[in-house]
Amino acid sequence: MPAVVLVGAQWGDEGKGKATDLLGDRVDYVVRYQGGNNAGHTVVIGDKKFALHLLPSGILTPECTPVIGNGVVVDLEVLFREIDGLNDRGVNTSKLLISANAHVITPYHVTVDKVTERFLGKRAIGTTGRGIGPTYGDKMGRLGIRIQDLFDPSILLQKVEGALLQKNDLLVKIYNRAAVRPQEVVDHLLSYAERLKPMVADTSLILNNALADGKTVLLEGGQGTLLDVDHGTYPFVTSSNPTAGGATTGSGIGPTKITGVIGILKAYTTRVGSGPFPTELFDEWGEFLRKTGGEVGVTTGRNRRCGWFDAPIARYATRINGLTDIFLTKLDVLTGIKEIPVCVAYDVDGLRVEEVPVSQTDFHHAKPIYQMFPGWDEDITGCKTFESLPKNAQDYVLALEKMSGTRISAIGVGQDRNATIVRHDMLG
């Protein structure tokens, strides 16, 4: 049975929560495999809107087992606040599993994140200030705290002391901040241990056994392809691998078990934070997309930068992730625009460039080359089939499909979980 990866194919915020929720009643496990509470998914069910930051979107589907994989970094305070919020709204969270090998965001990671960003000034990356980067930094530096460490207070204290040896010098001598007391950190983390313990498991073993038993697993990334630490617009990226390759290391499922990769693309483009964005709009159309699309970050509350669809980025995401399907979201936002521009290539110092430039400098200087497509005025939020879309909307989708290089299998035409047109079965 399939293990299918779901990835953002732009700069994040493409609507992965809607896609995961759409597939949720057909899969047995939904796994978050990287990132932390710097990601955000919004799922609309009827008149209820759910904003998820750390939990897998599958937690809203009763038959599904939600899993936080080993590649995720976990802020325990945020975790339980989110769990309690869902419980208060009648959502059953009792099936949640968390990898014993997932890393923990501590209060000192948040402190270091915030003071470092302020120190960088104009060179700031635009992080969410939630400690994600410093936690991944400690993970790679072998100074990290893992979920399993909370169940051995002696080991936990030793690891926290080791991590703070350098950080306290940095905080006191460079940033003029107070030193962090190791025991206070340990006490804070241990306060969650008893409640956390029933959720902790060898999730890699559970997921591989599930696949062997014929179950279906959906692997859900946070952020998007262009925010990948290896393949994104570095250094304006996240600190992990939201691309499809990160799904194997972040879940403990081998690459030969992956049978499909679904990329989520908006019918236009957005990003949050600093960094290059060739199609970004600074006029009334940028404001139109922002207001009509509700483009405010689920986690950050920041207005998203908005621009037209970028075909080179879509092709890049198809190649980097090996996309087998595309879920195109927010097509309805474009309703009412007389002519819709699509970036089909870039002008880089007078040269036409068809693909995303490998040079950071070239990408910063890239100017979009647009092709215009006729728009539509009809309300499409009630459309249930591709054929029921206005002819111009159909042509727009087919053009994006050809330029992206893989099939568009589903189309989002409204906020509600049911406002989706399915053209092909994305689970094969």
Side-chain angles (χ1 to χ4, degrees):
M1 293 299 289
V4 176
V5 184
L6 190 74
V7 299
Q10 293 160 323
W11 275 285
D13 306 308
E14 301 95 347
K16 293 181 290 295
K18 180 182 177 71
T20 307
D21 188 61
L22 172 72
L23 299 170
D25 59 359
R26 296 181 57 204
V27 301
D28 301 291
Y29 292 82
V30 174
V31 186
R32 265 290 299 276
Y33 61 81
Q34 53 72 229
N37 57 302
N38 56 341
H41 299 318
T42 300
V43 179
V44 179
I45 303 176
D47 60 352
K48 294 182 179 179
K49 181 180 288 188
F50 296 89
L52 305 175
H53 306 279
L54 182 59
L55 295 172
S57 300
I59 202 161
L60 299 173
T61 303
E63 298 79 16
C64 183
T65 298
V67 178
I68 293 177
N70 58 273
V72 178
V73 292
V74 182
D75 184 318
L76 296 169
E77 182 178 349
V78 172
L79 172 71
F80 287 115
R81 186 166 65 236
E82 198 162 322
I83 287 173
D84 290 340
L86 290 179
N87 289 342
D88 289 344
R89 298 179 69 182
V91 177
N92 181 9
T93 61
S94 64
K95 296 174 73 174
L96 176 66
L97 297 176
I98 303 174
S99 171
N101 290 337
H103 279 245
V104 177
I105 301 172
T106 71
Y108 56 78
H109 289 127
V110 178
T111 298
V112 168
D113 196 357
K114 290 179 177 178
V115 298
T116 302
E117 275 287 280
R118 285 197 292 268
F119 186 78
L120 287 172
K122 293 181 179 180
R123 293 181 176 83
I125 303 301
T127 76
T128 58
R130 286 163 168 78
I132 311 297
T135 305
Y136 276 114
D138 274 4
K139 175 180 178 177
M140 296 306 174
R142 281 85 75 194
L143 293 170
I145 310 298
R146 298 194 292 178
I147 290 287
Q148 60 178 280
D149 296 329
L150 272 66
F151 310 116
D152 188 332
S154 175
I155 288 292
L156 179 61
L157 178 59
Q158 291 178 46
K159 290 192 172 185
V160 170
E161 286 175 337
L164 285 174
L165 282 175
Q166 184 187 55
K167 286 181 181 61
N168 272 335
D169 273 353
L170 186 71
L171 289 170
V172 173
K173 297 177 182 178
I174 304 298
Y175 299 123
N176 197 30
R177 299 293 294 264
V180 178
R181 297 179 180 179
Q183 191 61 54
E184 290 182 359
V185 175
V186 169
D187 292 343
H188 170 78
L189 297 178
L190 289 178
S191 68
Y192 298 105
E194 184 176 352
R195 187 178 179 190
L196 183 67
K197 194 168 188 177
M199 308 175 189
V200 179
D202 183 346
T203 54
S204 172
L205 178 63
I206 289 171
L207 293 171
N208 278 281
N209 285 344
L211 289 169
D213 290 341
K215 306 294 185 183
T216 301
V217 175
L218 185 66
L219 299 151
E220 171 190 74
Q223 294 93 30
T225 298
L226 275 296
L227 290 177
D228 187 279
V229 70
D230 286 293
H231 302 291
T233 49
Y234 190 90
F236 303 100
V237 293
T238 194
S239 301
S240 57
N241 293 109
T243 45
T248 61
T249 54
S251 67
I253 294 175
T256 56
K257 304 286 181 66
I258 306 296
T259 57
V261 182
I262 303 168
I264 315 302
L265 281 168
K266 273 181 185 163
Y268 50 100
T269 311
T270 64
R271 80 170 294 176
V272 173
S274 305
F277 184 177
T279 68
E280 183 173 11
L281 296 167
F282 301 96
D283 57 11
E284 68 275 12
W285 287 117
E287 191 60 26
F288 173 86
L289 293 175
R290 186 175 297 110
K291 287 185 176 180
T292 309
E295 297 299 349
V296 178
V298 178
T299 295
T300 63
R302 294 182 289 187
N303 284 336
R304 295 177 185 139
R305 300 158 64 189
C306 297
W308 301 119
F309 188 88
D310 189 319
I313 282 176
R315 286 194 293 275
Y316 180 78
T318 296
R319 171 165 57 87
I320 292 296
N321 294 292
L323 298 184
T324 56
D325 298 88
I326 289 173
F327 189 141
L328 186 73
T329 62
K330 293 198 171 185
L331 183 66
D332 55 299
V333 173
L334 301 180
T335 298
I337 302 175
K338 186 176 181 180
E339 282 193 310
I340 305 170
V342 171
C343 173
V344 295
Y346 305 124
D347 181 324
V348 180
D349 296 330
L351 295 176
R352 182 184 175 99
V353 177
E354 302 285 340
E355 303 293 342
V356 174
V358 68
S359 163
Q360 176 184 331
T361 300
D362 287 347
F363 198 40
H364 269 284
H365 295 151
K367 297 177 182 178
I369 297 173
Y370 287 117
Q371 180 177 339
M372 306 303 291
F373 290 85
W376 59 92
D377 292 318
E378 300 93 330
D379 179 6
I380 65 172
T381 56
C383 292
K384 300 298 182 185
T385 65
F386 184 69
E387 291 72 25
S388 65
L389 287 171
K391 178 65 164 54
N392 286 351
Q394 293 183 40
D395 290 345
Y396 183 77
V397 171
L398 293 174
L400 299 194
E401 181 176 65
K402 183 176 181 180
M403 287 185 274
S404 300
T406 196
R407 67 183 188 178
I408 293 178
S409 296
I411 305 161
V413 293
Q415 276 201 348
D416 192 79
R417 73 191 305 185
N418 296 318
T420 302
I421 295 170
V422 178
R423 298 177 69 208
H424 307 286
D425 185 358
M426 294 184 291
L427 293 182

